[in-house]
Amino acid sequence: RGVLKVNPATFTVSGFLPLSVSNLRVAVARGGSAYFGSDTGVIVEVNMPSLSSGRQLSLGQGPVSAGVVWGTFALFVTRGVVSNVFKVDLNSMSRVATLVLNAGTHGNFVAAATLINNKLYLGTDTSPGRVIVVDPATMTVLNSAQIP
């Protein structure tokens, strides 16, 4: 349980940081820090240059299935019958907004996320699949479409 630091030039391990949080599923990075989301819904901050652990934040729901950085925020998504999008202020490591994705209208089991033109695109691993478009500024669903 922990984080490996790998030198990308030589592809060799240059450090290991043991963590008390297990089953890290998602990582996003901003500046010199990486933010790991776990299957229990805990976000762990790791300073990568010094390979030291920082703050932790419990989202209250897991597993974290996807994440992106949007300015000074991270948008973490949990996967489940009800999927949520959590807007986390990385400066204060606090949750500032939550968007509940209605399974009947928007879809559930979100498995992937990407940011394009300041819009958050989410993909589900259901059959049939869905793409959900979220405005991270207002934390509202702009569109949701079934993938044929």
Side-chain angles (χ1 to χ4, degrees), residues 111-128:
T114 191
L115 195 64
I116 303 170
N117 295 329
N118 283 320
K119 300 294 182 263
L120 179 66
Y121 290 80
L122 306 172
T124 68
D125 65 358
T126 54
S127 181

Side-chain angles (χ1 to χ4, degrees), residues 30-53:
R30 178 174 168 264
S33 293
Y35 301 85
F36 295 91
S38 72
D39 65 357
T40 59
V42 174
I43 307 299
V44 179
E45 177 186 45
V46 175
N47 179 294
M48 292 311 288
S50 66
L51 201 58
S52 59
S53 61

Side-chain angles (χ1 to χ4, degrees), residues 49-138:
S50 66
L51 201 58
S52 59
S53 61
R55 302 166 292 178
Q56 291 187 11
L57 172 67
S58 175
L59 298 176
Q61 181 191 7
V64 178
S65 61
V68 298
V69 171
W70 182 66
T72 60
F73 300 97
L75 304 166
F76 290 105
V77 185
T78 57
R79 180 187 185 280
V81 174
V82 175
S83 290
N84 291 327
V85 180
F86 294 94
K87 187 177 186 179
V88 175
D89 183 330
L90 296 177
N91 291 329
S92 63
M93 195 65 165
S94 62
R95 186 173 68 196
V96 295
T98 304
L99 171 62
V100 178
L101 298 174
N102 180 300
T105 308
H106 306 135
N108 55 359
F109 294 104
V110 172
T114 191
L115 195 64
I116 303 170
N117 295 329
N118 283 320
K119 300 294 182 263
L120 179 66
Y121 290 80
L122 306 172
T124 68
D125 65 358
T126 54
S127 181
R130 295 191 74 80
V131 172
I132 306 157
V133 184
V134 174
D135 180 350
T138 60

Side-chain angles (χ1 to χ4, degrees), residues 6-45:
V6 177
N7 181 330
T10 61
F11 209 64
T12 56
V13 175
S14 60
F16 175 74
L17 174 65
L19 293 173
S20 60
V21 177
S22 61
N23 298 330
L24 303 178
R25 303 282 182 206
V26 174
V28 300
R30 178 174 168 264
S33 293
Y35 301 85
F36 295 91
S38 72
D39 65 357
T40 59
V42 174
I43 307 299
V44 179
E45 177 186 45

